[in-house]
Amino acid sequence: LLTTKVTTTPPTASCTIFHRTTKKGVYGWNLRLIPKKYQPFIILINSKYYLSKYKTGGIVMRKVAKFFSGLLSASLAFNFAAPAVSQYIAAAETEIASLSEVIRAGFENYETSIDISRFELTAEDVPRIVEVINYVRTIPELFYISVDGNGTVSQVQKEGTSDYIIGTLNVKYNNTYEEAKPLIEEFNAKADEIISEVITDDMTELQKALKLHDYLVLNTVYDTKGELEDLNGGSSAYDILVCGNGICQGYAQAYNVLLERAGMDSLMVVSYPMNHAWNLVSVDDEWYHVDVTWDDPVPDSPGLVNHKYFLLSDEEIQKKTDVRYEHHSWDAKGFTATSTKYDNAFWVDVR
């Protein structure tokens, strides 16, 4: 189950996701070739940069802004729950001050007025700002950020012109850093404990992916009724790692966190038609689908781990077989899993 609700309860400031770089992207784009006007919308997931591609057609966007006036400091209302749109990867050869990085830093510091004037955005960019906000709020380590469902952006007059640009993103938080700090510390300690317990330096990427997959299945209960104690309705990495229960979004977020700390790249894959989320994982420079949720038996069966959805190609995960149900209509942010190396691996039938 994929939750689309706005988080109303309190991941961590120590994460260095915005400071890792890679010289090779999926499409081999050079960051310096991307027009400057698009750079505010570049985001970084694990060690890869993405360029947001906002579409007005084919994707149903909620009405996210209402322009009140052209007056100085006029406000634009937006809704944090507006759906995100597709992201496409770009190679990252240098660090950049992207909009997502600035908003993330503002969230981590609990800033109520986040200055984004450097990007010289206008009212027409509000849907893309919402898109970036939604991306930032899905970063697993930011599970503790609790914001009011609505916010505003204030306009200021661009110096030396009669034009107006967006000056600040105005946010109202439902909790404080002091309230979130114990949760952050608990989350970091638990994630570090798992890595120390499960991962060793001599492991291959395949072994790391398998061990962390099995750990999550063995130590998590899928919350079929939404009645188990958690923090974010089962949709966060905290719910899975600390509370020990959750739903698909939480499984995917937790797997992302653990793989990242084990030195591997992964991202959450979402299928809105399926109301479901899982992961793409990079193993030996090839991408594969892993659905930890669907490998966790329901009702919970202590000691039992399925491997039906571990390291599958795009082609294989779409098939309905004797042992699998098909996946479809997912957003993988431009990634494809073309390798079929493990589609018929021995572990498919191992429990």
Side-chain angles (χ1 to χ4, degrees), residues 206-273:
L206 171 59
Q207 290 170 328
K208 291 178 181 178
L210 178 61
K211 291 288 285 186
L212 293 173
H213 166 280
D214 289 3
Y215 175 90
L216 289 175
V217 172
L218 291 170
N219 292 276
T220 308
V221 175
Y222 185 84
D223 191 359
T224 56
K225 297 181 179 180
E227 298 175 349
L228 300 177
E229 183 178 352
D230 53 40
L231 184 67
N232 296 309
S235 64
S236 72
Y238 180 95
D239 292 333
I240 298 294
L241 300 184
V242 177
C243 302
N245 67 84
I247 57 177
C248 64
Q249 185 173 328
Y251 279 82
Q253 296 279 45
Y255 200 34
N256 267 349
V257 168
L258 296 178
L259 288 168
E260 171 80 8
R261 294 190 181 214
M264 295 179 61
D265 284 341
S266 70
L267 68 151
M268 184 171 71
V269 176
V270 175
S271 170
Y272 290 103

Side-chain angles (χ1 to χ4, degrees), residues 204-211 213 255 259 264-265 278-284 286-292 295 307-314 316-317 324 337-345 347-348:
T204 64
E205 290 190 334
L206 171 59
Q207 290 170 328
K208 291 178 181 178
L210 178 61
K211 291 288 285 186
H213 166 280
Y255 200 34
L259 288 168
M264 295 179 61
D265 284 341
W278 62 97
N279 297 87
L280 272 182
V281 179
S282 178
V283 175
D284 299 328
E286 293 284 355
W287 290 91
Y288 301 92
H289 293 268
V290 179
D291 191 337
V292 182
D295 274 340
H307 298 88
K308 299 174 183 178
Y309 302 95
F310 182 67
L311 300 187
L312 299 179
S313 66
D314 286 342
E316 189 67 21
I317 201 167
R324 300 192 192 105
T338 58
S339 173
T340 60
K341 182 176 181 178
Y342 301 114
D343 281 352
N344 297 298
W347 53 66
V348 171

Side-chain angles (χ1 to χ4, degrees), residues 8-61:
T8 55
T9 49
T12 91
S14 63
C15 181
T16 57
I17 195 170
F18 287 107
H19 302 288
R20 296 177 59 193
T21 59
T22 181
K23 292 185 177 180
K24 184 179 180 182
V26 170
Y27 299 130
W29 294 352
N30 188 320
L31 188 64
R32 290 169 296 189
L33 301 180
I34 297 174
K36 183 177 180 181
K37 66 179 180 178
Y38 295 125
Q39 291 195 13
F41 305 107
I42 294 173
I43 60 177
L44 186 59
I45 297 178
N46 290 341
S47 60
K48 306 295 191 300
Y49 281 114
Y50 294 83
L51 177 62
S52 303
K53 187 176 182 182
Y54 174 61
K55 300 178 181 179
T56 56
I59 294 177
V60 179
M61 287 291 290

